[in-house]
Amino acid sequence: MPIASPEAYAEMLDRAKAGRYAYPAINVTSSQTLNAALKGFADAESDGIIQVSTGGAEYLSGPSVKDMVTGAVAFAAYAHEVAKKYPVNIALHTDHCPKDKLDKFVRPLMAISQERVKNGQEPLFQSHMWDGSAVPVAENLEIAAQLLDEAAKGKIVLEIEVGVVGGEEDGVENAINDKLYTTVEDGLAMVEALGLGEKGRYMAALTFGNVHGVYKPGNVKLRPEILNQIQEAVGAKYGKDKPLSLVFHGGSGSLLEEIRAALDYGVVKMNIDTDTQYAFTRPVADHMLRNYDGVLKIDGEVGNKKQYDPRTWGKAAEAGLAARVVEACEHLRSTGTTMK
């Protein structure tokens, strides 16, 4: 199947919320990690989301270019081609974009998709994220409303963040404090500004103690019930059951029961980066340590070409990441749910 059309993506998200499961959203930074993620979703018979951050897009453009839009466009072009060979639907997404990078990343990419749609093509990316967690809520929602209008013109789903995810990602670091918990008032203000789909489709990353990066269970108190409280408050005001499509950020180290509770409360997308980075790197470290004298030309020797061939250790890395994607699908209940 090709990259998901806007209609297919909408159906994916609707099915996930109705079925109380979510799609792993896997951050990638190369063709290798992209291919590994695709294999993982295919092995799990799950549709999925593959995404690039601002840093990932810059990395993809090459070390002497360092241009986020160039990297993102190149990634999407490659993904559109190779995804055709896999029997699952894949949506392409751009991850956290703060205010100072909107004009250098999300807005140019939206313009590309708008032009493609005008020409009868599908959008380049199926969704983009605006990360307004570092600005006041009123400003966050004002910018979100502007972006939602632009996203709708390109048949794109917008993702926003209302609240703060702690920890560090792509150089943006937030303290671990009470701001990690989105309030009911914030949720109601979000819907007042953005509607419930009539102005364009969006997903909301509401925070309930989430932290980016590596942490052990118990270090931060996750409170998934906050998501339910906001869903119920919005639903009561607008006469709809579980009206919001939610996103879970910073899930590394979360207990399975916490993840499953979040799914029950309307989470349809869960970002996974730290765990898959390790799953990709760990087999490489194992290969290098086990084949030390083969991957290095020690004491004037020639080494072993078969052991330092990037394809050798690259295949092991891809297999590790793919297996972690399969595990993520199991945790998020998306295994076997692909639309066929």
Side-chain angles (χ1 to χ4, degrees):
M1 296 179 187
I3 295 297
S5 67
E7 296 75 19
Y9 192 27
E11 185 178 352
M12 282 170 58
L13 299 177
D14 289 341
R15 283 164 54 105
K17 186 162 66 170
R20 298 193 173 195
Y21 62 88
Y23 300 107
I26 308 300
N27 281 71
V28 301
T29 55
S30 66
S31 60
Q32 282 187 305
T33 49
L34 167 63
N35 287 333
L38 288 170
K39 184 179 187 304
F41 284 122
D43 288 347
E45 297 182 347
S46 170
D47 299 325
I49 300 169
I50 297 177
Q51 59 191 25
V52 289
S53 65
T54 55
E58 181 181 276
Y59 181 82
L60 279 157
S61 74
S64 63
V65 178
K66 296 185 177 181
D67 181 79
M68 295 180 289
V69 172
T70 297
V73 170
F75 154 76
Y78 184 84
H80 274 265
E81 193 60 36
V82 295
K84 295 176 184 177
K85 302 294 184 179
Y86 291 86
V88 290
N89 294 284
I90 299 296
L92 303 182
H93 177 78
T94 60
D95 202 8
H96 293 267
C97 183
K99 181 180 177 181
D100 65 339
K101 293 182 179 178
L102 282 173
D103 289 340
K104 303 173 186 177
F105 191 52
V106 164
R107 287 192 174 109
L109 291 173
M110 281 189 176
I112 291 171
S113 285
Q114 288 171 358
E115 189 63 28
R116 286 169 61 96
V117 169
K118 285 181 184 178
N119 294 331
Q121 299 173 281
E122 303 287 8
L124 189 64
F125 283 84
Q126 287 62 60
S127 51
H128 294 291
M129 184 191 175
W130 148 236
D131 183 354
S133 60
V135 302
V137 172
E139 182 182 2
N140 180 354
L141 296 177
E142 180 182 357
I143 294 173
Q146 296 167 0
L147 291 172
L148 184 61
D149 182 59
E150 293 301 312
K153 294 175 184 176
K155 298 184 178 181
I156 298 162
V157 177
L158 182 68
E159 180 184 332
I160 69 167
E161 183 171 312
V162 180
V164 175
V165 176
E168 186 272 337
E169 181 171 71
D170 269 357
V172 178
E173 187 167 358
N174 293 308
I176 298 175
N177 54 35
D178 289 344
K179 292 184 179 180
L180 300 188
Y181 304 97
T182 305
T183 66
V184 169
E185 291 73 24
D186 289 340
L188 290 169
M190 175 186 71
V191 176
E192 180 70 23
L194 304 182
L196 286 173
E198 68 277 8
K199 298 179 182 180
R201 182 152 193 160
Y202 67 94
M203 298 180 282
L206 306 181
T207 56
F208 52 100
N210 324 47
V211 174
H212 286 133
V214 182
Y215 70 96
K216 294 180 180 180
N219 285 12
V220 175
K221 177 61 177 175
L222 288 176
R223 296 172 55 198
E225 67 273 11
I226 286 176
L227 303 181
N228 191 42
Q229 292 166 6
I230 295 172
Q231 287 276 29
E232 289 184 342
V234 173
K237 182 173 181 178
Y238 293 92
K240 295 186 177 182
D241 179 47
K242 204 160 65 173
L244 301 174
S245 295
L246 304 179
V247 181
F248 187 163
H249 288 199
S252 297
S254 300
L255 299 174
L256 184 57
E257 56 263 35
E258 295 170 334
I259 293 173
R260 294 279 173 82
L263 303 184
D264 292 339
Y265 300 145
V267 164
V268 297
K269 171 181 181 281
M270 180 174 172
N271 289 11
I272 301 175
D273 187 16
T274 301
D275 290 351
T276 46
Q277 285 180 345
Y278 184 77
F280 184 81
T281 301
R282 179 64 180 82
V284 179
D286 182 71
H287 177 84
M288 299 302 173
L289 291 171
R290 288 179 180 273
N291 300 286
Y292 185 80
D293 56 351
V295 298
L296 295 178
K297 296 182 179 181
I298 301 172
D299 296 330
E301 293 298 325
V302 297
N304 185 329
K305 184 181 184 299
K306 290 184 178 180
Q307 291 178 352
Y308 60 72
D309 185 335
R311 291 171 294 183
T312 301
W313 49 263
K315 289 176 183 176
E318 290 178 32
L321 195 157
R324 184 61 183 83
V325 172
V326 171
E327 181 183 350
C329 292
E330 293 171 353
H331 289 171
L332 299 184
R333 302 173 178 152
S334 71
T335 302
T337 63
T338 185
M339 300 186 301
K340 296 182 179 179

